Amino acid sequence: MTNRNCGRSRSGRPGQKAAARAGGPVFKEPEVRRWPHPVGEPPVVRDQEPTLHYVRCALSYQNQLLADIKALLEQLTADRTEEK
């Protein structure tokens, strides 16, 4: 479909700028409100240390399994390309 603007500019109608200068409504941006940033860090709770240790160990184990799977898949891919 053809865009036919018949010589009109993209800025809008010519009367809009004149109305704004002649006391028309003037829009301004809304005021920006920000939440205050916490000054100190939250206290460290030592009761969670065993739980965090368990989570770290589980993630480490999963990362090792993923690395092993990746190595096996790369080996299978290399073997298939050699066969062809």
Side-chain angles (χ1 to χ4, degrees):
M1 182 183 286
T2 307
N3 184 9
R4 299 181 187 175
N5 61 3
C6 299
R8 292 184 220 147
S9 66
R10 292 183 177 223
S11 62
R13 296 185 210 144
Q16 285 179 340
K17 290 182 181 178
R21 283 187 227 137
V26 177
F27 298 104
K28 36 183 205 174
E29 293 185 17
E31 179 183 335
V32 177
R33 297 182 186 154
R34 300 184 189 274
W35 291 99
H37 186 72
V39 177
E41 293 184 17
V44 178
V45 179
R46 293 291 177 192
D47 295 336
Q48 294 180 351
E49 192 63 35
T51 305
L52 291 176
H53 178 71
Y54 174 78
V55 170
R56 285 188 195 109
C57 289
L59 288 174
S60 176
Y61 179 71
Q62 286 181 351
N63 284 338
Q64 184 60 46
L65 284 175
L66 288 172
D68 293 343
I69 292 170
K70 179 182 175 186
L72 290 172
L73 287 173
E74 288 173 346
Q75 185 179 10
L76 283 172
T77 305
D79 291 344
R80 287 188 179 175
T81 55
E82 288 176 4
E83 291 175 2
K84 291 182 181 181

